[in-house]
Amino acid sequence: RPTTDTPRTLFIDPSVTLAAALKSHDGRLLAAAGQKVNPLTILPLRRTYLVMNGADPRQVAWAKREIEAHPRSPFMVLLTDGLLDETRRTLPAIAKVLPAPALLFTRLPIESVPARLHRDGTRLQIDLIAEAALPTPSPDEAGQAAGAVQNNAH
C-alpha cells in the first residue's frame, strides 16, 4: 500500500441487512431476514488497529510511538509488508503483530498506510496518516526496519 500526502478521517457504518435469519447454535432467532444489524452493537471492538508497512522505518517508529503513548490500550498491528518477528521485537510487547488480511482492503477503504482503525460509538473510524506526520526513526528503529527489508529480499 502507498503512503499519502493528505491525512483523512473516514467514518464507516458497518451495518448489514441480513439476507437470511440469523439463529443461535440451538436454533433461537437472533435477527430476522431483512433486519439491519450493526455488529458494533453486538460485539465489542476494544482494540485499536494499526495498519502499516513493517519494512518502512518511519511507519515502525510511528506505530511504536502510538503504542507507547497509550500503554493501557490494546493494540493490534497489521503488517502489509515487512517481517513479523522483526517488527514484534521492535514494538512494545503489549502489541499483537499479525499479517494484514487481504479482506481488510476489499471491505474497508484503506487506501494508504499507515492507518489507524478504532471504534467510534456505532461506527468505525479510519485515520489515514499523512507521510509528513511520520516521525524520523531513531538509529535503532531504522536499523531494525532495514534488516527486515534486507531479510525479505532473500
Side-chain angles (χ1 to χ4, degrees):
R1 296 271 165 215
T3 56
T4 185
D5 293 331
T6 308
R8 290 179 46 206
T9 297
L10 310 167
F11 294 96
I12 308 298
D13 176 358
S15 297
V16 294
T17 301
L18 299 176
L22 181 63
K23 297 184 178 184
S24 68
H25 68 284
D26 61 359
R28 190 171 40 95
L29 182 66
L30 299 173
Q35 184 176 343
K36 188 175 180 180
V37 178
N38 183 331
L40 293 178
T41 62
I42 301 166
L43 302 170
L45 182 64
R46 294 186 180 109
R47 291 188 187 280
T48 295
Y49 295 83
L50 304 179
V51 184
M52 56 168 262
N53 178 347
D56 180 342
R58 298 165 307 148
Q59 292 187 39
V60 173
W62 168 80
K64 184 176 181 182
R65 291 172 191 178
E66 285 282 311
I67 295 163
E68 289 173 344
H70 307 282
R72 288 191 163 71
S73 298
F75 282 90
M76 174 87 60
V77 177
L78 302 173
L79 295 186
T80 60
D81 196 9
L83 296 176
L84 289 172
D85 289 339
E86 192 72 36
T87 305
R88 284 184 184 121
R89 282 191 293 273
T90 304
L91 296 178
I94 62 167
K96 293 185 179 186
V97 181
L98 298 170
L103 188 61
L104 184 68
F105 302 102
T106 58
R107 297 278 174 114
L108 296 173
I110 301 173
E111 302 158 355
S112 62
V113 292
R116 179 180 40 243
L117 289 75
H118 60 94
R119 182 182 182 149
D120 178 46
T122 58
R123 305 178 300 177
L124 283 176
Q125 180 174 332
I126 301 172
D127 299 311
L128 303 175
I129 310 303
E131 197 167 357
L134 298 177
T136 301
S138 70
D140 285 344
E141 292 166 331
Q144 289 167 347
V149 172
Q150 184 177 14
N151 290 336
N152 270 349
H154 295 24

